[in-house]
Amino acid sequence: MKTSLVAKLSFLILALATKAQLGTSESEPVLDVYGNKVESNLEYKLLEVKNGTSGGFSIHGGTNGGCPLDVVQLSSPTERDHYVRLLPFDNSTVVRESTDLNLIEPVWTVGNYNASLGKWFLTTGGIVGHPGAKTLLNWFKLKKVTVSIYNLVHCPSVCDSCVKLCNKVGIFYVDGVRRLVLVRDDDQPLRLVLFPAPNPSRSSM
């Protein structure tokens, strides 16, 4: 009897310890500027935290003057920008820190390397979902800087065996346009906050 009781207690302790370990391994939820959890079925405006004023993000003709379109930062808060949705690789509703996600609409991706400028520009034309080697350039993460402030990072975890880039996202000026690029560790990355769309019905889901 005593042996059976000890075995049961040992099993319960092991189960609780395992549950605790699993719980702590889950990333914290991303929070919007109001402290609410960011959800994949809602739309958000991304804004940079900085001195002075700048706008949100939109799309603009690529560095070659055509397609694919680049993701750019607008110069003024009064300019019309885009709301985006953040779709985690595992289709979860809650968006979590340092977890692979797609940014849509349209779908953001890392474009081909621009050898003349020495930069990887963020462009459009990616596809949603299908995590793996073929979609590697379409995945981003939000890495916490402080409460409700995040770096946007391209460092995909959806393919362990793949050779991949691992960089934060910042700004690079081309023809007077603030284009989003992958930056080096010694460059200044964007520090972003997320504002929810004023009306949830704006969501495309």
Side-chain angles (χ1 to χ4, degrees):
M1 239 359 222
K2 288 184 178 179
T3 303
S4 177
L5 180 60
V6 169
K8 288 180 180 179
L9 287 173
S10 299
F11 175 78
L12 287 172
I13 291 170
L14 178 61
L16 289 171
T18 302
K19 184 177 181 181
Q21 289 176 354
L22 290 173
T24 55
S25 67
E26 190 172 56
S27 301
E28 291 295 315
V30 173
L31 302 179
D32 67 21
V33 71
Y34 303 113
N36 300 317
K37 293 179 182 178
V38 171
E39 298 184 8
S40 61
N41 60 339
L42 300 178
E43 293 182 320
Y44 295 86
K45 178 183 292 190
L46 304 180
L47 286 176
E48 184 181 8
V49 178
K50 60 181 293 186
N51 295 325
T53 59
S54 60
F57 298 93
S58 186
I59 54 177
H60 189 279
T63 51
N64 62 357
C67 292
L69 301 177
D70 285 351
V71 183
V72 301
Q73 182 185 42
L74 301 175
S75 58
S76 169
T78 60
E79 293 184 82
R80 184 176 178 82
D81 52 14
H82 285 190
Y83 284 86
V84 298
R85 287 174 53 218
L86 300 89
L87 306 183
F89 77 101
D90 58 0
N91 298 316
S92 61
T93 300
V94 175
V95 178
R96 298 189 176 277
E97 297 172 11
S98 300
T99 298
D100 288 293
L101 54 85
N102 294 134
L103 286 146
I104 68 169
E105 294 273 350
V107 184
W108 295 17
T109 186
V110 177
N112 295 329
Y113 181 68
N114 187 314
S116 62
L117 296 173
K119 297 293 181 183
W120 296 88
F121 289 86
L122 268 61
T123 65
T124 57
I127 62 172
V128 174
H130 306 285
K134 293 183 179 180
T135 63
L136 204 62
L137 296 175
N138 302 333
W139 298 100
F140 298 89
K141 300 176 181 179
L142 288 173
K143 184 175 181 181
K144 184 176 179 180
V145 177
T146 185
V147 179
S148 296
I149 300 177
Y150 302 89
N151 292 138
L152 182 61
V153 178
H154 172 73
C155 190
S157 304
V158 295
C159 178
D160 292 335
S161 62
C162 294
V163 177
K164 67 195 82 172
L165 299 166
C166 197
N167 303 80
K168 295 177 182 178
V169 174
I171 296 293
F172 184 73
Y173 285 80
V174 180
D175 299 328
V177 179
R178 304 175 182 181
R179 301 176 191 269
L180 272 62
V181 297
L182 302 185
V183 297
R184 300 173 303 190
D185 290 342
D186 56 349
D187 289 331
Q188 182 66 42
L190 289 167
R191 299 168 71 243
L192 302 172
V193 292
L194 293 89
F195 281 85
N199 184 351
S201 65
R202 290 189 56 164
S203 174
S204 56
M205 280 189 71

